[in-house]
Amino acid sequence: MEVAAMRRTVFNEDHEAFRETLRAFIEAEVVPVYDEWFAAGQAPRDFYYKLAELGVFGIRVDEEYGGAGIDSYKFEAVLYEETARAGVSFGGSGVHVLLGLPYIKLLATDEQKKRYLPKFVSGEEMWAIAMTEPGTGSDLAGMKTTAKLSGDGTHYVLNGAKTFITGGVHADRMIVCARTAAPTAEDRRHGISLFVVDTKAEGYSVGRKLDKLGLKTSDTAELAFVDVKVPVEDLLGEENKGFYYLGHNLASERWGIAFGAYAQAKAAVRFAKEYVQQRTVFGQPVAAFQNTKFELAACQAEVDAAQAVADRATEALDAGELTPAEAASAKLFCTEVAHRVIDRCLQLHGGYGFMNEYPIARLYADNRVNRIYGGTSEIMKTIIAKDMGL
């Protein structure tokens, strides 16, 4: 039995129909093989073609390129809720739509869109983005990877390394952030540009598939570039404006993390409720104890609050009105709520909560990175404080 949902207006009949289709797809195509993906450390590449057939990749892509032309993030919100509900993920494919697509829509020329988007929608080319470098972390202005224009002006020569790149193993196209000019004394962020790199290009290599605490089915890798030739036609946007572009799209990225965290917290309450109703100790169900009732009630209240924040951010994002500070606030609140709720729900499982065969254990590990990637909680507080005039 599902926990009763708080009254909400963010979804309509189309979203609920998509939810039903997605739930059936997950039960048929993901749940039976998810343990295999977990052991392998990634979802199989062929699975992404199934997502493409389901229409997941093309929802926000214009019809002329093979998409549905629906300019809304609400279908992705449904996806977050349904994967969390089932205790699964779609591997590293999340960055394909949430991170890759906004850059194409914002920056690509008509010619580039004609080349990129049909294969994006079909799953023939999976996309990811390479920002972080060894030793720089959140300090993107400190990146060392370079892209130098060739003497004849036909291509850039890319050299450097990246790490923590989600989707990095399966990616066919990688948006790479690199320096095309040195930073200035006035602005360390000057000189960064974005390039769409063919991962089959000579000199491009995927290093270690990183062994993470959580997100085990998501392929996360180290990348290296040695004299990789990138045609000038694959410069995304204008030279030296990359840092601005990265900042522009951070709101949608942080929304995704916030909404995903809320969905995980909601799922944790569901898992815990089902467990305590079935588990018997001292001759009675764990659910019969007052402490259990109080703990789950407190968790449900926090989930209700996180849902309201996540829904409000979704509406603002769809309206093109989600500010950096609002996105930071939503991410901070929802990820901190999820941290508390999932920990308390795991506690209610007792020792079994520490076993990976139970979804709460995997959820606990998966959730931890939410307060780190996309900007740490400390960075979110800095953004909010600045917006407050502090």
Side-chain angles (χ1 to χ4, degrees):
M1 180 179 176
E2 304 250 357
V3 175
M6 186 176 67
R7 190 179 300 109
R8 63 201 305 208
T9 59
V10 69
F11 299 125
N12 62 27
E13 292 180 359
D14 291 338
H15 302 123
E16 296 306 329
F18 177 66
R19 186 188 302 279
E20 292 181 13
T21 299
L22 191 60
R23 188 173 294 185
F25 174 83
I26 290 171
E27 288 298 322
E29 300 290 344
V30 183
V31 172
V33 293
Y34 195 70
D35 285 346
E36 297 173 19
W37 296 5
F38 190 84
Q42 62 186 32
R45 177 64 174 82
D46 289 349
F47 172 69
Y48 297 154
Y49 288 109
K50 294 181 180 181
L51 288 178
E53 291 174 5
L54 192 65
V56 169
F57 297 156
I59 293 172
R60 288 191 290 111
V61 176
D62 291 343
E63 293 182 32
E64 63 182 296
Y65 304 115
I70 302 173
D71 190 20
S72 172
Y73 284 82
K74 292 182 180 180
F75 291 93
E76 287 168 55
V78 171
L79 189 150
Y80 283 124
E81 289 187 332
E82 289 304 306
T83 51
R85 177 188 177 277
V88 302
S89 81
F90 286 167
S93 65
V95 299
H96 181 67
V97 175
L98 183 64
L99 299 189
L101 185 57
Y103 287 97
I104 302 174
K105 294 184 70 170
L106 175 69
L107 303 174
T109 64
D110 290 342
E111 184 276 330
Q112 287 176 321
K113 288 178 180 177
K114 290 176 183 177
R115 284 195 290 125
Y116 299 153
L117 286 174
K119 293 180 180 180
F120 180 100
V121 172
S122 70
E124 183 178 344
E125 288 187 349
M126 295 299 296
W127 286 59
I129 183 165
M131 302 184 205
T132 307
E133 296 185 1
T136 62
S138 297
D139 182 20
L140 296 180
M143 69 176 61
K144 306 296 184 185
T145 297
T146 61
K148 297 182 179 180
L149 190 62
S150 63
D152 60 8
T154 61
H155 62 272
Y156 292 85
V157 180
L158 184 66
N159 283 283
K162 301 288 182 179
T163 192
F164 305 148
I165 308 307
T166 303
V169 175
H170 286 320
D172 302 288
R173 289 276 187 172
M174 183 67 66
I175 300 174
V176 178
C177 311
R179 283 207 164 277
T180 44
T184 65
E186 297 78 19
D187 188 2
R188 294 178 62 241
R189 300 169 296 181
H190 172 76
I192 295 173
S193 302
L194 307 183
F195 298 91
V196 177
V197 181
D198 185 342
T199 63
K200 297 184 292 295
E202 185 177 353
Y204 181 107
S205 62
V206 178
R208 291 187 304 149
K209 181 167 72 68
L210 300 173
D211 184 16
K212 307 183 297 297
L213 171 67
L215 302 179
K216 290 292 189 179
T217 63
S218 171
D219 54 307
T220 304
E222 296 175 331
L223 307 178
F225 321 110
V226 180
D227 294 334
V228 178
K229 293 182 179 179
V230 183
V232 293
E233 292 82 11
D234 286 325
L235 171 68
L236 198 57
E238 297 181 36
E239 265 195 9
N240 304 326
K241 292 189 176 181
F243 200 95
Y244 164 76
Y245 300 143
L246 295 174
H248 184 276
N249 284 331
L250 276 175
S252 61
E253 178 183 352
R254 288 168 178 163
W255 164 83
I257 298 170
F259 203 98
Y262 139 69
Q264 288 176 326
K266 179 180 179 180
V269 172
R270 174 174 179 260
F271 297 145
K273 180 185 175 186
E274 291 176 352
Y275 180 82
V276 299
Q277 288 176 325
Q278 298 167 4
R279 176 71 169 166
T280 301
V281 296
F282 304 118
Q284 59 182 321
V286 175
F289 293 92
Q290 186 182 62
N291 179 69
T292 302
K293 296 176 182 179
F294 282 5
E295 283 292 286
L296 282 177
C299 287
Q300 182 61 40
E302 289 219 74
V303 169
D304 285 347
Q307 178 180 285
V309 169
D311 285 357
R312 184 181 69 175
T314 303
E315 296 285 17
L317 182 63
D318 268 13
E321 298 172 355
L322 185 64
T323 68
E326 289 171 336
S329 179
K331 180 182 184 295
L332 176 66
F333 183 78
C334 290
T335 57
E336 294 292 341
V337 164
H339 162 66
R340 293 191 296 270
V341 167
I342 294 170
D343 183 75
R344 294 168 83 172
C345 288
L346 186 150
Q347 188 73 15
L348 289 173
H349 283 71
Y352 289 104
F354 206 63
M355 301 296 112
N356 273 328
E357 64 187 275
Y358 283 80
I360 192 68
R362 299 179 182 183
L363 196 58
Y364 183 88
D366 289 351
N367 170 75
R368 184 59 186 87
V369 76
N370 288 336
R371 291 180 289 148
I372 299 174
Y373 66 2
T376 63
S377 290
E378 292 72 24
I379 294 293
M380 299 303 101
K381 291 173 184 177
T382 299
I383 294 169
I384 297 165
K386 184 177 180 180
D387 186 67
M388 295 169 65
L390 298 173

